[in-house]
Amino acid sequence: MFLSQDSGFARVLSRRDVLALAFGAMIGWGWVVLAGSWIRSAGSFGAMLAFLIGGILVVFVGLTYAELASAMPKAGGELLYSYRGLGVTPSFICAWTIVLGYISVVSFEAVALPTVVEYLFPNYKQGYLWTIAGWDVYASWALVGIIGSIIICIVNYVGIKMAAFMQTVFTIIIAAGGIMLITGSLFNGSTADMEPLFTGGMAGLFSVVIMTPFMFVGFDVIPQAAEEMDIPYKTIGRILIISVLMAAAWYILIIFGVSRALSPAELENSGLATADAMAALFGGAWAGKILVLAGIAGIITSWNGFYIGASRLIYAMAQAKMLPDFLGKLHPKYKTPHNAVILVGILSTLAPLFGRKMLVWLVDAGGMGVVVAYMAVALSFLVLRYKEPDMPRPFTVSNGKLVGFIAVLLSLGMAIMYLPGSPSALVWPYEWAIILGWLALGVVFYIVARSRHGNAADVLLNEKVRENM
């Protein structure tokens, strides 16, 4: 069965487009910046093992998404799943928290781009503007992020097909850079440089494991574009899981390549281990710059993927009368949620003016929002297995109840990592202020929506989730 043709969205996304959307969103820029620190923390094999464990953990959450996305292939994803499983108030909380996560990534990529450009053009920052949270903001630096954000906004405004084409092109660039690093390490790298295989014991291993769930964030943008896919229901779930497995393999192979290229001493003194590894393997700084270009492509794919995710989820919430109505409109020509795209674009365009430090706080807070949404989706999956055992499930997960229990426990464990006492706890008061402020804004929207529209959200969401039955 193929997706029905009665939606206002343009159904143009192929299997390749959807795979590039998810994989590109997950990979991003983190592999370029953090691979060296992963190896230093856990050793070469320790870091690879950490990502194998992390990949397995995320697959359980991904399986719950895969089944629900194929059963309810509608824009809004988490909003619909949690409504059907848990009710209207939990569905608002789930959607609102993951919107924070999406916007935080979109905003941070507008800061990551000018930061990365410094590796290619050192000392290009000119025109001091101000200092925010200890970070000096320069006009030329901010301008790079602003221009990039405007371009991404325009691409997403004029149609999903153009955004998907851009996603595919830049994903290919990422793959080319990574494959060059991996193959170079096989021919020119040294097994001896991989020593020590493990460092830091279990503490070192788990210091990397706790980072892995956040490296895989991005597969969840697939449900947001479900109404724009021209593929069978079952294929949505399959592609989602394949994208997670591909991302896990990617991270492991990048760690393998870097560990074979640099000795522990070289790794310790490296500012950007992946670029330095590439330069060492091919004997020239030019190779390192190619790797940085692949990293810039990763920024673009992550930026673009979360632009799509954020705008479609905001659109779905507005359609359900949870956010202002103007955000729930489709462009008559381009068939995109243009007002939601513009809103995301404004936030992204303003982000470079706040510097990097403040945006790090936003990303950390957004990470907690994503994990809370994961837990709500996993719980909805489990509840629906009991409450609606006969619900049509084109992609059906084997041993669903067991998978659901594991996914709930794992997502709960991820959420605990943000709480005080954890190595990755949110910073007080800054990151908690973002969380509490976002929740307060959500409460205002929710109260206003309920007072103006009554139970309209219940009615509209109920109609939406049952359209494919």
Side-chain angles (χ1 to χ4, degrees), residues 153-167:
C153 184
I154 292 172
V155 168
N156 276 272
Y157 187 94
V158 300
I160 187 68
K161 192 61 179 176
M162 181 178 288
F165 174 76
M166 183 178 72
Q167 189 80 354

Side-chain angles (χ1 to χ4, degrees), residues 158-184:
V158 300
I160 187 68
K161 192 61 179 176
M162 181 178 288
F165 174 76
M166 183 178 72
Q167 189 80 354
T168 299
V169 169
F170 282 97
T171 299
I172 291 172
I173 294 173
I174 297 172
I179 290 170
M180 187 175 171
L181 171 64
I182 295 162
T183 54

Side-chain angles (χ1 to χ4, degrees), residues 387-410:
K387 190 169 73 173
E388 297 189 48
D390 299 324
M391 182 179 77
R393 294 172 169 88
F395 180 92
T396 303
V397 175
S398 300
N399 301 308
K401 293 178 181 177
L402 176 61
V403 169
F405 274 118
I406 294 174
V408 169
L409 291 175
L410 293 176

Side-chain angles (χ1 to χ4, degrees), residues 141-161:
W141 184 89
L143 187 62
V144 171
I146 290 170
I147 292 173
S149 179
I150 291 172
I151 292 172
I152 298 289
C153 184
I154 292 172
V155 168
N156 276 272
Y157 187 94
V158 300
I160 187 68
K161 192 61 179 176

Side-chain angles (χ1 to χ4, degrees), residues 179-266:
I179 290 170
M180 187 175 171
L181 171 64
I182 295 162
T183 54
S185 73
L186 289 173
F187 290 101
N188 301 326
S190 170
T191 303
D193 285 339
M194 298 182 72
E195 298 287 348
L197 302 180
F198 295 92
T199 59
M202 293 300 292
L205 175 67
F206 279 97
S207 70
V208 179
V209 169
I210 64 172
M211 299 177 67
T212 58
F214 319 120
M215 294 297 104
F216 288 97
V217 171
F219 68 86
D220 43 291
V221 303
I222 285 182
Q224 310 307 337
E227 289 187 62
E228 295 159 279
M229 298 177 190
D230 188 24
I231 57 177
Y233 292 173
K234 183 180 291 187
T235 304
I236 299 174
R238 289 175 177 171
I239 292 176
L240 194 152
I241 296 303
I242 290 171
S243 68
V244 173
L245 295 175
M246 286 176 59
W250 175 268
Y251 285 121
I252 290 170
L253 288 172
I254 291 298
I255 293 168
F256 174 79
V258 172
S259 65
R260 285 178 59 84
L262 299 176
S263 68
E266 291 170 330

Side-chain angles (χ1 to χ4, degrees), residues 348-365:
S348 177
T349 302
L350 292 174
L353 299 175
F354 290 90
R356 188 174 180 182
K357 184 65 176 179
M358 180 172 257
L359 269 295
V360 169
W361 295 338
L362 178 61
V363 168
D364 289 344

